Amino acid sequence: MRLPSIKKIDKLISGKFFKQIQVFLVLVLVLLGFFWWIASKVENAGVFEEGGKTFTNVFWWVYIHFTYPGHLIIDSPEHAPKWLAVIITVFGMIFFEGAFIGLIVHAIRERREIIKRGLARYNFENHYVIIGADEVIVSLVQNLLAPGKKGKKHPQIVVLTKKNAEIVTEVLESNLQEELMKNIYVLFGDFVLEEYKQLALNLVKEIYIIGDDIYQGVNNENIEIAYDLARLLEKDKHINCYINLPETTSLNLLKKFSFSKNVTDTMFLHPFNIYQGWARQLWGSIDLLSDAPAAWFEPQKNAKITAPLPKLISELKENTHVRVVILGFTEMGYALLEHTLEMAHFNTGQPTQIAVIDPNMKKNINRFTAEFPEYRNIYDCRVEFIESDINDAGTRDLLSQWQADAHCRMVLFSCFSDPDTAFSTAALLPPAIIKSAVPVFIYQQSGKGFFHLLGADEHTWQSEFRNGRFFGWRKEHSGLLKIREELARGIHEEYIEQAKLNGKYNPQLPNFFEWNALPENFKWSNRYQADSFLIKLARINKRVVPADNSKPLFIIEDEKNSPETRELARMEHDRWCAERFMNGWTYGSEAKKENKISDCLVPFEQLSEVMQGYDYNAVKAIPGLLREYCKLDIE
């Protein structure tokens, strides 16, 4: 008989637990058979005495000694072969008290290792799925596990990542309470269909595609994941799927393209980006107000609220302009410039002045100009790119001049990617700015040392830098603006209702499609309109409070009786024009939508009354939309 090679034996020994059990049982049977054969040839082996009677059962005698060492003490009769009984018992102890117990311990350790490495797979239901483990996973998980109703169980969260699952788990453990970690399962695996099939996708609450930040081409991969998931989801189930697109430019380009029908038939897709998310938070996010709506207007009462911009906006006077200074044309600075051009329309009679200062900005200037070739046509905003050292004497003098201008309300953003550089740049601003009321926002991707140093967490800002504010932590803001998404959908539905009332509704036109089938460029138009609500309200000295359905709804008066309503309508039109210019539209006396040419890209006063009516309707709808979709009222 040919004996198995050492390679095959090693494979058997190192195999899975159940394979090892099979090998163990075979060896036990072989040993039992061998000792049975030996005992059958030894005199008096297998002899038992019980109740004064003697009987023989060799196999039972061997089995008892093999499995129960204590039988040596009570073994009978006296003339039984003790030497054989001892040998059988010793082999039994080695196997049952040694090998078998060791096998169990090893199996437990191996299972624990499988779990730690994220290789275990389970059945899930009514859970959240996160694909990827970018840094935003911390804030995302914290949002999903935020305190809910009393007694409500926390949902299960399943994370699939190509990173080291043990390290991802440790990161989450260091930021979450131990009790919350019981509901989180971090799985290691490739982003392929076979892995997705094990996530019970048709039973999920929501899906989050955030990607792994250790690879290039995350946007490309995350979009591919969305298409793969659509192949496994039931049609018309429409599961919310939030997709992280961290590379800003390719996200902006995506705004011009729509996902195919097989994707939109299965999911509600919500793209997001952490840089644009923070830019929106700085200018005013509806989601930021969901728990404490008054806090945005009183930032000193809530350290998480980083932007005291409503006060600045509310204090604007006629012929006063806002001066936005962005120090560092990084990804954060890039996103902030883009969103400022979308939002900074204040109807003061003077254009918003935006200055971007960076010692090495040529590459990003070319990129910005290529991406937004018509941005210069935004008639109520002016952008100046200054390639200079922030600490250059001429640059510092320029900053001081802007601050001294009585007709200028200034706000600065230090957007350098390195947290130390961002802080030192802000702290070394000219003394006239440091000592003034000019808000200075400091970008901090990670770490809170400077935040604590200045006393931000205690709301007792050190007098040397009392107007410093911090923003940008990747672990605190996932970029997800869920309420804003609902508000955008509500704006679109209101638009359809108005079109029906005016006899303009045509369900065959793409701008009248239902929300999920709506082309991406129209969705983004509604999202930007939603972003502008708080800015408009701040401009007319209004604020939002938790909704009270027992009270009458706030009414924005008819434009004929209210200068404020006309002001809001003009702000909305200026914002709409900026959005169109940023999307590549140009003015033409004859409108051609297919060529992105519009005859409405003119100042508000040059519009016909019919076209002005669209802007009036848009602002009059704000109170009802806020109450219905955001649970907020205006006061």
Side-chain angles (χ1 to χ4, degrees), residues 335-546:
L336 185 58
L337 171 60
E338 176 195 342
H339 198 65
T340 300
L341 286 168
E342 297 277 6
M343 293 295 115
H345 310 284
F346 306 119
N347 187 31
T348 63
Q350 294 294 326
T352 298
Q353 301 289 339
I354 306 169
V356 184
I357 306 176
D358 193 299
N360 303 294
M361 65 159 53
K362 185 176 181 179
K363 179 180 178 181
N364 271 347
I365 290 177
N366 293 338
R367 171 185 161 199
F368 191 85
T369 304
E371 187 174 346
F372 306 107
E374 306 300 330
Y375 80 91
R376 295 184 183 86
N377 292 326
I378 301 176
Y379 48 77
D380 63 337
C381 287
R382 300 286 184 272
V383 181
E384 183 179 6
F385 294 103
I386 303 173
E387 188 163 12
S388 170
D389 189 319
I390 310 301
N391 297 315
D392 176 77
T395 304
R396 292 173 65 83
D397 288 344
L398 189 60
L399 292 172
S400 297
Q401 290 173 21
W402 290 338
Q403 186 275 326
D405 186 349
H407 298 286
C408 169
R409 294 304 308 275
M410 191 173 175
V411 56
L412 291 97
F413 300 90
S414 182
C415 294
F416 290 99
S417 299
D418 176 54
D420 294 349
T421 303
F423 175 75
S424 61
T425 298
L428 291 175
L429 287 167
I433 294 176
I434 296 295
K435 296 176 181 179
S436 72
V438 172
V440 179
F441 297 97
I442 308 166
Y443 179 52
Q444 302 281 276
Q445 289 194 63
S446 60
K448 286 195 171 184
F450 298 124
F451 177 82
H452 297 308
L453 180 67
L454 266 65
D457 51 343
E458 300 174 358
H459 321 298
T460 55
W461 299 87
Q462 294 194 34
S463 58
E464 290 83 357
F465 205 17
R466 61 183 179 275
N467 294 310
R469 295 291 184 270
F470 296 90
F471 74 99
W473 294 288
R474 294 181 66 83
K475 291 185 179 181
E476 290 197 5
H477 185 65
S478 62
L480 291 172
L481 304 174
K482 293 187 176 183
I483 298 176
R484 177 258 222 157
E485 191 73 8
E486 288 300 303
L487 182 57
R489 182 171 61 83
I491 291 171
H492 178 63
E493 292 176 356
E494 175 69 21
Y495 169 76
I496 291 176
E497 289 303 313
Q498 285 294 326
K500 289 178 178 178
L501 291 174
N502 297 331
K504 303 287 187 181
Y505 176 67
N506 182 351
Q508 303 303 315
L509 295 177
N511 54 306
F512 291 118
F513 289 176
E514 63 176 19
W515 179 255
N516 201 44
L518 195 66
E520 283 297 313
N521 60 318
F522 291 112
K523 285 184 179 180
W524 280 100
S525 181
N526 290 299
R527 288 167 183 150
Y528 284 127
Q529 186 175 340
D531 288 335
S532 72
F533 277 15
L534 294 182
I535 295 173
K536 290 186 175 75
L537 294 177
R539 185 72 182 90
I540 61 172
N541 291 302
K542 298 297 180 183
R543 58 189 287 163
V544 290
V545 295

Side-chain angles (χ1 to χ4, degrees), residues 611-630:
M611 299 311 297
Q612 287 182 354
Y614 285 102
D615 297 310
Y616 283 122
N617 290 335
V619 297
K620 287 178 184 178
I622 291 176
L625 290 167
L626 286 176
R627 176 176 284 189
E628 181 175 354
Y629 293 96
C630 308

Side-chain angles (χ1 to χ4, degrees), residues 275-385:
Y275 302 109
Q276 293 188 357
W278 271 109
R280 292 188 180 95
Q281 180 165 320
L282 290 168
W283 279 107
S285 164
I286 285 288
D287 289 69
L288 195 63
L289 308 185
S290 58
D291 296 322
W296 196 58
F297 292 82
E298 299 174 4
Q300 71 277 11
K301 293 184 179 179
N302 189 330
K304 292 182 71 175
I305 310 303
T306 57
L309 292 178
K311 189 172 186 300
L312 180 150
I313 295 169
S314 66
E315 293 175 351
L316 288 175
K317 296 182 173 24
E318 191 71 18
N319 293 319
T320 299
H321 69 272
V322 173
R323 167 78 66 175
V324 177
V325 180
I326 300 172
L327 307 176
F329 204 24
T330 59
E331 282 297 304
M332 186 65 248
Y334 194 99
L336 185 58
L337 171 60
E338 176 195 342
H339 198 65
T340 300
L341 286 168
E342 297 277 6
M343 293 295 115
H345 310 284
F346 306 119
N347 187 31
T348 63
Q350 294 294 326
T352 298
Q353 301 289 339
I354 306 169
V356 184
I357 306 176
D358 193 299
N360 303 294
M361 65 159 53
K362 185 176 181 179
K363 179 180 178 181
N364 271 347
I365 290 177
N366 293 338
R367 171 185 161 199
F368 191 85
T369 304
E371 187 174 346
F372 306 107
E374 306 300 330
Y375 80 91
R376 295 184 183 86
N377 292 326
I378 301 176
Y379 48 77
D380 63 337
C381 287
R382 300 286 184 272
V383 181
E384 183 179 6
F385 294 103

Side-chain angles (χ1 to χ4, degrees), residues 37-104:
W37 177 74
I38 294 292
S40 65
K41 298 184 178 302
V42 176
E43 187 178 0
N44 295 324
V47 177
F48 291 88
E49 289 184 356
E50 186 176 344
K53 294 182 179 181
T54 301
F55 62 93
T56 302
N57 189 327
V58 176
F59 182 81
W60 185 244
W61 183 82
V62 169
Y63 177 78
I64 288 177
H65 281 290
F66 193 81
T67 58
Y68 177 49
H71 193 71
L72 281 172
I73 301 173
I74 60 173
D75 199 11
S76 60
E78 290 297 327
H79 52 271
K82 293 290 187 181
W83 62 272
L84 183 57
V86 170
I87 292 173
I88 295 173
T89 300
V90 169
F91 271 90
M93 290 172 63
I94 291 173
F95 269 80
F96 279 95
E97 294 186 18
F100 185 67
I101 293 174
L103 194 61
I104 296 296

